[in-house]
Amino acid sequence: MARLTSLAVREEHTGLDGDGEKALASHQRTSIGRLNLELIAPDQAFARNWERTANVHDASYVLVLPLAGCVAFSQDGRVGIGRPGEYVLLSELASYELSSDKTARFLVLRIPAAELRGRLVSIEDHISRRFKPNEQMTRLLAGMIGGVAELFIESPPPNPQALATEIVGFVALTIGSEDRGAATDVRNARYHLRRRIVDFIESHLSDPSLSPKKIAASSRISLSYLYSLFNDNETTVSQFVQTKRLQRAYEILVADPKGHRTVSEVAYEVGFKNVSHFSRCFSRHFKVAPRDARQPPAAAQQAGTSMRPAQTKGFPSPRMASSRKAFDSPYWDVRKQQLHETV
């Protein structure tokens, strides 16, 4: 098992807070809607030590995709190496370490924690590469995130919030395809039960009477057992259903830039009974009002609405670099390298 200290010495590291030409040359940052994307290409050993973020609404999940060289990671007692063609998921809800030598180049995508928690069952089970990734899906994910970075590192996409929604959806799809192995323990059985429950919830979001009692009955389990399944993910059944509804509403709104459907129609379509309650929940969750979610960025700025999420404490505001030299042919070569299992 590799040790982080074998790749990065604490006294010799390049962090994200550096100033001057060297910092700009080593890091390129941009925002894709509510996502933060970094290209890290250090010219000396790199190390990041993240302290735990207490509030889930202030935290993100961190997706690391090596492009060249190796990246070492450590979280929850698990230590490993990420290589080109792989990804590693880390959580800001717990301390983690990330390091590399100066030959490495990698992408770091920060996704608001609430986004993935509303899409995946037991997201914490997938932290620090606990299961074997699906090779085909991993290649698609690496290609997509790399392509997004190459195209939009200097200028935003036409509809960044819509693109962010699609990225989060594909990240969740890829992580959900991980092979959990042939384990038949209680934890694995609970996982598959939660998966069936989530499928039921997603297919009944438009039902305003969808309740924990109805969800429990669909799987022939007690209410108390249903509650315990969601406690594993530090959320409640009602919170999970509401998050799913808000995400569905967001996808409908950003796909309807000309406003063929009113906000009220969308609210009722995803199962909300009260439009005012929907608007308050939507604005609190996405940091943008429903009526502004489908506006292009320029229109939203003129309306005085910020489309960017609040910055996590301790994380600097994204800045854009002036060069695209970091996105050169080696990236397209490393995509084709064979996957390796966790060291």
Side-chain angles (χ1 to χ4, degrees):
M1 184 94 46
R3 294 178 59 84
L4 284 167
T5 51
S6 66
L7 285 186
V9 181
R10 293 287 176 264
E11 290 76 20
E12 295 181 322
H13 73 278
T14 174
L16 298 179
D17 304 88
D19 297 319
E21 296 295 327
K22 182 174 290 188
L24 285 172
S26 298
H27 300 87
Q28 292 178 283
R29 302 182 182 125
T30 190
S31 293
I32 305 295
R34 54 203 181 276
L35 311 179
N36 289 306
L37 181 63
E38 298 175 82
L39 170 70
I40 298 177
D43 52 10
Q44 56 182 300
F46 169 89
R48 175 188 288 176
N49 301 307
W50 184 270
E51 297 299 326
R52 178 178 182 273
T53 300
N55 190 336
V56 65
H57 297 292
D58 296 329
S60 295
Y61 287 106
V62 180
L63 188 73
V64 182
L65 298 108
L67 305 179
C70 296
V71 178
F73 64 89
S74 175
Q75 186 164 50
D76 291 338
R78 295 180 59 82
V79 180
I81 299 291
R83 298 178 176 85
E86 300 176 339
Y87 69 85
V88 178
L89 184 70
L90 302 172
S91 172
E92 291 182 352
L93 292 166
S95 300
Y96 72 79
E97 295 184 11
L98 190 66
S99 63
S100 71
D101 64 13
K102 64 181 180 180
T103 67
R105 292 171 55 247
F106 53 99
L107 292 166
V108 176
L109 180 69
R110 296 177 68 252
I111 303 171
E115 294 262 350
L116 278 183
R117 287 196 165 201
R119 291 177 180 268
L120 279 169
V121 180
S122 298
I123 179 64
E124 295 297 324
D125 284 357
H126 299 269
I127 297 301
S128 65
R129 205 164 56 186
R130 195 175 305 272
F131 309 112
K132 183 179 179 180
N134 180 290
E135 182 173 338
Q136 289 78 16
M137 293 297 294
T138 298
R139 292 185 185 279
L140 286 173
L141 178 65
M144 183 185 72
I145 302 300
V148 167
E150 182 177 24
L151 290 171
F152 302 121
I153 197 69
E154 290 183 344
S155 58
N159 193 332
Q161 294 292 349
L163 180 58
T165 297
E166 297 301 324
I167 291 173
V168 173
F170 197 81
V171 169
L173 187 65
T174 302
I175 295 171
S177 71
E178 290 181 354
D179 181 7
R180 300 175 66 93
T184 57
D185 58 10
V186 173
R187 188 173 182 82
N188 195 52
R190 286 167 69 88
Y191 174 87
H192 289 294
L193 177 57
R194 283 193 296 258
R195 180 66 265 169
R196 292 196 300 271
I197 290 171
V198 171
D199 289 342
F200 178 82
I201 291 172
E202 289 179 334
S203 62
H204 292 80
L205 285 179
S206 60
D207 179 5
S209 65
L210 183 63
S211 65
K213 184 176 181 179
K214 184 177 290 189
I215 295 169
S218 72
S219 293
R220 297 182 175 86
I221 59 175
S222 67
L223 267 176
S224 59
Y225 189 53
L226 176 69
Y227 294 146
S228 72
L229 291 173
F230 282 83
N231 285 338
D232 287 353
N233 219 25
E234 298 181 0
T235 187
T236 67
V237 181
S238 297
Q239 288 171 344
F240 186 86
V241 171
Q242 179 170 287
T243 299
K244 280 287 186 183
R245 283 176 165 154
L246 291 172
Q247 288 172 343
R248 178 74 59 80
Y250 193 97
E251 292 167 0
I252 294 172
L253 289 168
V254 298
D256 182 31
K258 294 186 178 180
H260 295 299
R261 280 181 284 188
T262 66
V263 170
S264 298
E265 290 173 337
V266 173
Y268 295 134
E269 184 174 339
V270 299
F272 277 85
K273 300 177 182 178
N274 183 283
V275 177
S276 297
H277 177 60
F278 165 74
S279 296
R280 287 194 300 271
C281 294
F282 189 99
S283 299
R284 183 166 57 248
H285 187 81
F286 292 110
K287 306 295 188 287
V288 60
R291 65 178 179 277
D292 296 325
R294 54 188 165 198
Q295 292 185 17
Q301 290 175 2
Q302 289 174 3
T305 303
S306 173
M307 299 288 284
R308 294 185 180 181
Q311 291 295 322
T312 302
K313 184 178 179 181
F315 190 85
S317 299
R319 63 170 180 261
M320 295 187 185
S322 59
S323 172
R324 295 177 66 179
K325 293 181 180 179
F327 297 100
D328 49 16
S329 57
Y331 164 71
W332 304 107
D333 294 335
V334 299
R335 276 200 308 173
K336 303 175 184 177
Q337 294 187 17
Q338 191 172 5
L339 296 178
H340 303 271
E341 297 202 20
T342 307
V343 176

